[in-house]
Each structure stands twice: as C-alpha cells, then as structure tokens.
Amino acid sequence: MAYFWYKTFHLVGIVVWFSGLFYLVRLFVYHAEAKDKPEPASTILKQQYELMEKRLYNFITTPGLILTAAMAIALITTEPDVLKDGWLHFKLGLVVVLIGYHFLCGWLIKRLAAEKCLWTSKQFRALNELPSVLLVMIVLLAVFKNSLPVNSAILSIVLLIVAMIATFQIYGKIRRRNQARAQLQSET
C-alpha cells in the first residue's frame, strides 16, 4: 500500500515542479522584455517579476522538486531491485539534467534581480522548451521501462523538437509583424 501513496505524491510533486519550471521561465521572458518599456513601467514591472519569480521558485517549484525526489527515494525503497534496471539509470540521468536546469533558473533569478543577466527574451523562450523535451523523455522511460521502442522514441523526440522550433519561428514572425504594424500606426 505504501508504494501507491509514494507514487501518488511522486506524481503530484512532478506536476507541481514542472508547472513551476514552465511558468518561471515564462516570467523571465516578461522580465527581459520589461527593460524595453518606458519608465516608470519598466521599473514597476521588473520589481513585480522579481517578486513573482522568487515566490514561485521558493514556494512552489523547489518544494515540487523536493517532494518529487523524496517520493522517488521512497518508491525505490519499496522496490530496491529496480536500481538494477538500465532504463532507471537513464531516467535518473535525465532527472539530474532537470535538477541542473532547476538550479540554473535559481541563478537566473539572482542575475535578473541584480540586472546582470544578458539573456534576451528570445533566449528565455528557447530555454523554456528544454523541460518539455526532458518531460517527454522521462515519461517515455517511466512508461515503457526496458521495452522502450528506441527508434520510435527518438523519432518522437526529434519531431517534438522540430515542431517546437517551427512554432518558435512562426511566433517570432507574427510578433515582428505585429510590432511593425503597431509602429506604423503610431507614426501615422
């Protein structure tokens, strides 16, 4: 019975953690764009984003990480033989990358607050796609385990990345076009 409780809260932790990571980097996008706004809006927006970023990181994202990790350890204690499976080693490797991403976000919060971050909103948009790819890979491993159809999985990941890049490019073109229209309208 303990296994099901651990698994339930492991999944809850994952949802909370990923929700925080997805929203946090979206806030970085807005924070980076705030510097292009006229004063006093720029200062007000940057202060608001700093507050939101810190709260999200400290009160949602990091507790989500801790709950996920604690319940993963608890799950392993119920089935220690799973540590012998190659799929779990690969999954844990991806989780280590994800934890690194989490702490990169914490570092970026500090850099943005100190106004020492040189990242652009476009770079933050690209960074925001990494946890999506990691999530898909981790879920594939968790579901298929040792029977993962590697060729299909690789194809799926490549298609996902291509779709993300295409969406990113299309969004950029639409955004530039709308900005050009707005500038034309303000000039007339």
Side-chain angles (χ1 to χ4, degrees):
M1 185 61 82
Y3 173 85
F4 294 110
W5 284 106
Y6 297 151
K7 188 162 197 141
T8 297
F9 286 104
H10 181 64
L11 292 171
V12 168
I14 291 167
V15 170
V16 170
W17 187 23
F18 271 91
S19 298
L21 289 175
F22 289 140
Y23 187 46
L24 186 59
V25 181
R26 184 42 96 181
L27 288 174
F28 294 166
V29 170
Y30 302 144
H31 195 144
E33 290 175 348
K35 66 183 169 198
D36 298 330
K37 303 287 185 199
E39 287 298 340
S42 177
T43 301
I44 293 168
L45 286 170
K46 286 190 283 187
Q47 288 173 347
Q48 184 62 38
Y49 292 135
E50 285 174 32
L51 180 64
M52 293 169 70
E53 291 158 1
K54 286 177 187 172
R55 286 181 178 170
L56 178 61
Y57 187 79
N58 292 324
F59 301 121
I60 296 175
T61 311
T62 299
L65 162 61
I66 292 167
L67 181 61
T68 300
M71 292 301 104
I73 292 166
L75 278 166
I76 289 171
T77 64
T78 65
E79 294 183 350
D81 286 345
V82 75
L83 286 171
K84 297 175 185 171
D85 292 341
W87 71 269
L88 183 63
H89 296 174
F90 193 63
K91 178 185 170 196
L92 291 175
L94 294 172
V95 170
V96 167
V97 172
L98 190 60
I99 291 170
Y101 179 90
H102 176 96
F103 288 108
L104 171 66
C105 288
W107 179 78
L108 287 168
I109 289 170
K110 292 174 185 168
R111 300 289 293 178
L112 284 163
E115 296 191 16
K116 292 182 179 178
C117 186
L118 302 176
W119 289 46
T120 65
S121 63
K122 188 174 183 178
Q123 290 169 317
F124 283 127
R125 281 187 180 88
L127 179 69
N128 202 28
E129 303 308 324
L130 181 60
S132 300
V133 174
L134 290 170
L135 177 63
V136 170
M137 293 170 66
I138 290 167
V139 169
L140 282 169
L141 286 165
V143 170
F144 285 99
K145 298 183 176 22
N146 287 325
S147 63
L148 178 69
V150 177
N151 291 338
S152 298
I154 291 171
L155 178 62
S156 298
I157 298 299
V158 168
L159 290 174
L160 175 65
I161 292 170
V162 168
M164 288 175 169
I165 291 170
T167 303
F168 191 61
Q169 294 299 319
I170 291 167
Y171 175 75
K173 285 181 182 181
I174 292 169
R175 186 176 162 95
R176 285 189 297 277
R177 187 184 68 214
N178 290 343
Q179 287 173 342
R181 279 186 192 158
Q183 187 174 2
L184 261 169
Q185 289 175 349
S186 69
E187 290 173 358
T188 55

